[in-house]
Amino acid sequence: MSKQSQTARKTVKDIAAAKGGTPLVCLTAYDAPTAALLDPHADVLLVGDSVGMVVHGLPSTVGVTMEMMILHGQAVMRGSQQAFVVVDMPFGSYETNADQAFLNAARIMKETGCQAVKIESGAYAAHQISHLVERGVPVMGHVGLRPQAINVEGGFRAKGRTVSERDRVVAEARAAADAGAFAIVIEGVAEDLAAEITAEVSCPTIGIGASAACDGQILVTHDMLGLFDWTPKFVRQYADLASVVSGAAAAYAEDVRTRRFPGKTETYSLRKPEA
């Protein structure tokens, strides 16, 4: 029996029970080694469609495919043992109708072994969420700034800054919760709006550019680790790995060019003949 199979993962009930309690620790993960490092510290690992921008260099998340999400989801499941793993459903995989959403969600769960999927919860999403939940697929919602809607919005901008927009975000969160979402990500909204939504819905909220009043927080791990020159306002960098990686590469390049690497300790030698 594998070590992973002997370790009890957090369940959807564990995540749902965090409402009003100790905040949930959530981070993104896209590969097995990173997942293994984050796993002891995180309640939730999100295989976000942000992988398209963070790992693949795409200009937005719109170009992310089902195959990409499944590949990265498989890697994160291999690397983690105890965290609750959620995989994003990419743009175009759930919006058409509830049957499309179920077929694609079922494929993600079967091929990755993840515990839940996440969908960006526009006004249309409540029916899809209830359809999935009724058929055994735990769903995490996502309201506020919705990256998959960048082409409609014209860019990544905060939400809920007008009364009508504020009312819409609250309504979408309420609809997602009523439809059975076990948790809802709130992205890029004013602090008081995130606090209002958190008080309004019965499921845990997970903030990103939202409020400390949320029931949990999530950041893109690469942002948190300082791997990019620019990060959004809501990111707090806990390391400066860009400098570490760049410095290591520079030192390696210098050693190669001056023939200091490989040295004696990194080089194989012939074995002595046996007597």
Side-chain angles (χ1 to χ4, degrees):
M1 182 180 293
S2 69
K3 182 178 179 181
Q4 185 181 71
S5 65
Q6 298 178 55
T7 304
R9 283 189 183 273
K10 289 182 170 61
T11 69
V12 68
K13 288 187 175 181
D14 295 325
I15 305 307
K19 182 70 178 178
T22 303
L24 293 162
V25 176
C26 313
L27 286 164
T28 62
Y30 316 114
D31 59 74
T34 303
L37 292 172
L38 302 178
D39 186 64
H41 311 288
D43 299 302
V44 176
L45 291 178
L46 172 65
V47 187
D49 60 358
S50 50
V51 68
M53 302 173 71
V54 173
V55 175
H56 295 278
L58 296 176
S60 74
T61 63
V62 173
V64 173
T65 65
M66 283 282 292
E67 287 69 27
M68 290 165 68
M69 295 310 306
I70 289 169
L71 181 67
H72 289 284
Q74 290 169 336
V76 170
M77 284 298 296
R78 293 187 197 107
S80 61
Q81 296 181 28
Q82 65 86 34
F84 187 86
V85 177
V86 182
V87 176
D88 259 335
M89 295 192 69
F91 178 71
S93 67
Y94 59 91
E95 296 91 338
T96 301
N97 56 53
D99 288 336
Q100 177 210 30
F102 176 72
L103 289 173
N104 284 322
R107 182 186 170 197
I108 288 172
M109 295 192 74
K110 283 181 178 180
E111 295 188 29
T112 67
C114 70
Q115 286 71 62
V117 299
K118 181 171 76 65
I119 69 174
E120 293 190 9
S121 310
Y124 58 84
H127 180 56
Q128 273 89 328
I129 292 172
S130 63
H131 190 81
L132 293 177
V133 173
E134 287 170 1
R135 286 155 181 78
V137 179
V139 180
M140 177 180 285
H142 184 143
V143 300
L145 192 162
R146 295 191 290 115
Q148 290 177 8
I150 184 175
N151 289 319
V152 173
E153 304 295 342
F156 298 104
R157 65 180 188 85
K159 293 294 182 183
R161 290 184 168 180
T162 65
V163 173
S164 61
E165 193 174 68
R166 186 184 185 96
D167 290 344
R168 179 172 62 80
V169 174
V170 172
E172 289 172 354
R174 188 186 299 117
D178 291 346
F182 70 89
I184 299 173
V185 171
I186 306 175
E187 180 171 0
V189 304
E191 183 177 18
D192 63 325
L193 176 55
E196 179 183 342
I197 293 171
T198 299
E200 176 80 15
V201 301
S202 58
C203 63
T205 58
I206 299 170
I208 177 167
S211 166
C214 292
D215 299 297
Q217 299 294 326
I218 187 166
L219 285 176
V220 171
T221 296
H222 290 59
D223 289 340
M224 183 269 289
L225 293 177
L227 283 166
F228 297 123
D229 292 336
W230 179 89
T231 56
K233 170 185 171 63
F234 55 75
V235 172
R236 180 180 296 177
Q237 291 187 348
Y238 286 83
D240 181 16
L241 292 196
S243 295
V244 174
V245 173
S246 179
Y252 167 71
E254 175 66 16
D255 283 353
V256 169
R257 289 172 181 140
T258 57
R259 300 188 185 277
R260 291 197 299 266
F261 177 84
K264 187 174 182 179
T265 58
E266 296 96 13
T267 305
Y268 295 102
S269 57
L270 292 175
R271 292 180 179 176
K272 294 181 180 180
E274 295 181 1

